[in-house]
Amino acid sequence: MNFHRTTGTPKGLLSVVAGNSPEIRGGLVEQLLRTSPEAVVLSVSVEVGPFGGYPVVRRLMTTVGPRSAAPASLGATGDPVVIVRQDMVALHRATKDVHVVLALPEHVDVLPFLHRLWRTRIGADSLDDHYDAAPVLVGVDPAAFLTDITCVHRTVRVWSGDAQDEPLTPSEAAARQVERPTPSS
C-alpha cells in the first residue's frame, strides 16, 4: 500500500492495458488479476456520438475477490478523459488502496490519452493525488498486426484524449500502437 505524501491517505495503483484485439487485452488483464486478484477492472470503449459531437463512452467495471460485486455497465456521452478520470476518483474514494486495471480499446491512441488523463485540470482532482502509475502493458496479436500494417486503402479514426484525430490508415494506427514513444519536452 502506498500513501499520499501530504495527508497520509493510502494511494491506489493504476495499471493500463491496451492491445490490438480484445483477446490480447483480455489475456493481459487475466495476467494482472493473477498477481493482483482484488483489482478492479475498468474496461472502456469509445464510440462516435450520434450527432458527431462528443463520443459515447461505455465502461464496464468488474471486481473479483472479497470486494466482488456484480459487474456494473456505465454509459455516458462526453469527453472520454473526463469520464474515466471521474470514475477513477470515485473508485479511490470508495476504496482508498484500490488497484485499478484500465483496459483501453484499440482505437485509442494510448500515450496522448494517458498524458491528458494524468494531467491536473483546474478545479479537478489530480490522479497523482490518488494513484501511483504502474507500467503500461500493450499486447499485439501478430496476425491482426500484419493485416493492419499492410492496409493503406481505407481509413480509421483513433481517440487521442480530447478529440478524434484525423483519419489514419490502419497501417499508421497499428504502427502508433507498437512504436516506442519519444520523450517530449
Side-chain angles (χ1 to χ4, degrees):
M1 178 179 344
N2 298 316
F3 289 90
H4 187 276
R5 290 177 287 282
T6 58
T7 65
T9 305
K11 288 177 80 170
L13 181 65
L14 173 63
S15 297
V16 178
V17 173
N20 64 344
S21 76
E23 295 80 16
I24 291 293
R25 282 189 308 280
L28 289 173
V29 168
E30 286 176 15
Q31 286 179 7
L32 280 172
L33 289 176
R34 281 195 291 272
T35 62
S36 184
E38 294 183 12
V40 174
V41 178
L42 179 59
S43 298
V44 178
S45 72
V46 181
E47 302 159 6
V48 175
F51 305 108
Y54 278 115
V56 176
V57 182
R58 298 193 197 295
R59 291 102 61 225
L60 178 65
M61 199 173 313
T62 57
T63 56
V64 293
R67 299 184 217 175
S68 66
S73 182
L74 311 165
T77 300
D79 183 333
V81 169
V82 172
I83 292 168
V84 170
R85 183 185 295 119
Q86 289 172 344
D87 286 348
M88 292 182 57
V89 169
L91 278 168
H92 183 266
R93 286 183 179 146
T95 309
K96 300 293 183 214
D97 63 344
V98 67
H99 178 184
V100 176
V101 177
L102 178 61
L104 296 174
E106 64 269 11
H107 54 276
V108 167
D109 197 354
V110 175
L111 188 61
F113 187 90
L114 292 178
H115 176 73
R116 191 158 170 263
L117 179 69
W118 207 259
R119 187 179 69 212
T120 303
R121 297 183 55 198
I122 296 173
D125 283 327
S126 167
L127 287 187
D128 192 41
D129 291 340
H130 303 295
Y131 293 94
D132 286 325
V136 175
L137 302 174
V138 178
V140 177
D141 176 350
F145 179 74
L146 288 174
T147 299
D148 288 343
I149 202 72
T150 59
C151 183
V152 294
H153 302 294
R154 59 185 174 88
T155 60
V156 295
R157 291 188 178 265
V158 294
W159 295 94
S160 63
D162 56 350
Q164 210 171 18
D165 285 343
E166 293 298 314
L168 302 171
T169 65
S171 175
E172 292 168 316
R176 279 188 183 190
Q177 265 194 332
V178 298
E179 71 184 357
R180 188 180 134 245
T182 306
S184 60
S185 50

